[in-house]
Each structure stands twice: as structure tokens, then as C-alpha cells.
Amino acid sequence: MTKRTAAKYKIDRRMGENIWGRAKSPVNRREYGPGQHGQRRKGKLSDFGTQLRAKQKLKGHYGDLTEKQFKRIFGDATRIKGDTGENLIGLLERRLDAVVYRAKFVPTIFAARQFVNHGHVTVNGQRVNIASYRVKEGDVIAVRERSRQLAIVLEATQLVEREVPDYIEADHSKMTATYLRTPTLADVPFAVQMEPNLVVEYYAKN
């Protein structure tokens, strides 16, 4: 098991929720957290604890981003006109690794980051190997021809546990996806409830 895969399952256990809706998630069998203290009775979370948990859950869903990365995205969200929580979700969904994951080119967000970093993806015909690259409406994301028969790609396109959301138009026969529009929170197919408003409250107080 790779370090990334282990981290993926540890995040699920730590949150006590199957945050990607994966059939293999250990939360489906054990709802308590990882480690020797995982089975301790959970106390009621304070407001701070609830806000922190909302932030950790959202960070975890997008591949366990570092605090520095996440805070930078949040800062960008505050500078955009409109609701900061909705802006945050929109910016996270514009990450190239997130688009590759949503388009079902790979099975997990962790695989998406590695897939992009290894140069398997193009944006408008140009190879891009930066997972945090922000796609724009109308951009066409494609799996490079030599990468289309990789086992991880073939496995992902057959996944039945999730669908491609309607803000991405994917063609798995050509292995291309067009980013149609920036989604709102209600558009994103999160497996569990995400609360970006609590993330906004967390950063407002800390």
C-alpha cells in the first residue's frame, strides 16, 4: 500500500465519514478513528472543533492539501465578489487534478494528482503537469494518447459508484473532458455534506 493510499484511508477514519463514497473505505466497517486511541468515546465538538473538522474534511477531499495551499485558495476566494464559501468550492473544483478526478479519468483524487504530475494530461492540446493549475470555462482536458490504455484509466472509466457532474462534459471514447462552467456547492457530487460556510467562520476567527 502506498503512502498516499494509506493516507486516503486514514483521512476517512479520522473524519468518521466515507468522504469520497468509496466502496472499499474502512469507515464502512469501522466508524472509529485510526490508532490506539481511535475507539475512545467522542465528546461533543465545540464551535471551533466543528469549524476545524469542516476545514479538514474539505481539505482532505481534495487530496489532503497542505494548510499553506488551502489557505492560499481561501485567500483567493475572499477576493472574488460574492459568497466566499461558494467561491472556495468553485476554485477547488477548478484545480486540474479535481477536473481529472471528476471526469472519471482516474479512480481517486490522489491518483489524479499523480497522473497530472507525471505528464499524462493536456489542457487545450498543451501538456500541463501542475495539479493545482486552474482550468477555465471552455478548456478541453485530455488524457495523452499513449496514456489511455493504462490500467488505472481503464478501471476509472468503468466505476459505477460515481457519475461525471453536469459542469463537465466527458467523452470517454476520446478521453477528453470540457470544463463547461464553475459549479456551486449544490452542483458538486460530494459523498458527504461539506460546509464551506464553517470554513469561512474558522478563518474569520483564526
Side-chain angles (χ1 to χ4, degrees):
M1 184 181 286
T2 67
K3 186 178 178 183
R4 275 292 181 194
T5 304
K8 172 180 66 183
Y9 291 137
K10 197 174 283 186
I11 293 164
D12 267 4
R13 294 275 304 284
R14 192 170 67 222
M15 295 298 143
E17 294 183 78
N18 186 353
I19 64 175
W20 296 283
R22 296 274 288 167
K24 294 179 182 177
S25 173
V27 174
N28 297 339
R29 300 186 302 276
R30 297 180 297 247
E31 292 189 358
Y32 53 85
Q36 61 178 326
H37 303 300
Q39 294 188 60
R40 284 184 176 173
R41 184 182 293 178
K42 294 175 184 173
K44 189 174 184 300
L45 283 175
S46 63
D47 287 348
F48 171 81
T50 304
Q51 293 158 3
L52 176 62
R53 190 179 186 82
K55 177 181 73 100
Q56 300 292 63
K57 193 160 60 169
L58 195 58
K59 258 174 57 173
H61 181 85
Y62 288 94
D64 211 16
L65 300 174
T66 67
E67 179 61 21
K68 187 177 179 182
Q69 287 174 315
F70 193 75
K71 203 166 183 179
R72 188 186 306 129
I73 297 168
F74 179 81
D76 290 343
T78 63
R79 288 187 284 274
I80 300 172
K81 195 174 180 180
D83 183 275
T84 301
E86 290 283 0
N87 294 340
L88 177 61
I89 296 297
L91 290 177
L92 288 166
E93 285 295 309
R94 283 177 56 193
R95 284 177 58 95
L96 181 56
D97 56 355
V99 176
V100 167
Y101 170 62
R102 296 287 183 221
K104 286 179 67 173
F105 291 157
V106 289
T108 70
I109 189 67
F110 295 93
R113 184 180 300 170
Q114 193 172 48
F115 197 68
V116 173
N117 289 344
H118 288 183
H120 295 299
V121 174
T122 64
V123 178
N124 300 328
Q126 300 295 312
R127 189 169 71 160
V128 177
N129 60 2
I130 301 166
S132 61
Y133 176 90
R134 276 184 196 161
V135 301
K136 297 186 288 292
E137 293 180 5
D139 280 355
V140 177
I141 296 88
V143 176
R144 297 181 74 194
E145 195 153 347
R146 66 178 190 178
S147 308
R148 293 177 187 177
Q149 295 306 309
L150 291 173
I152 194 171
V153 176
L154 297 174
E155 174 201 344
T157 56
Q158 301 304 313
L159 282 175
V160 294
E161 59 194 35
R162 60 189 178 92
E163 298 292 330
V164 178
D166 64 7
Y167 50 91
I168 294 171
E169 189 177 82
D171 184 340
H172 289 146
S173 64
K174 297 178 181 176
M175 293 308 291
T176 62
T178 304
Y179 189 75
L180 302 176
R181 60 183 174 83
T182 300
T184 63
L185 173 62
D187 296 324
V188 182
F190 291 119
V192 297
Q193 184 182 6
M194 292 295 178
E195 299 165 295
N197 57 308
L198 294 180
V199 180
V200 175
E201 289 176 16
Y202 172 86
Y203 281 118
K205 294 177 181 176
N206 298 284

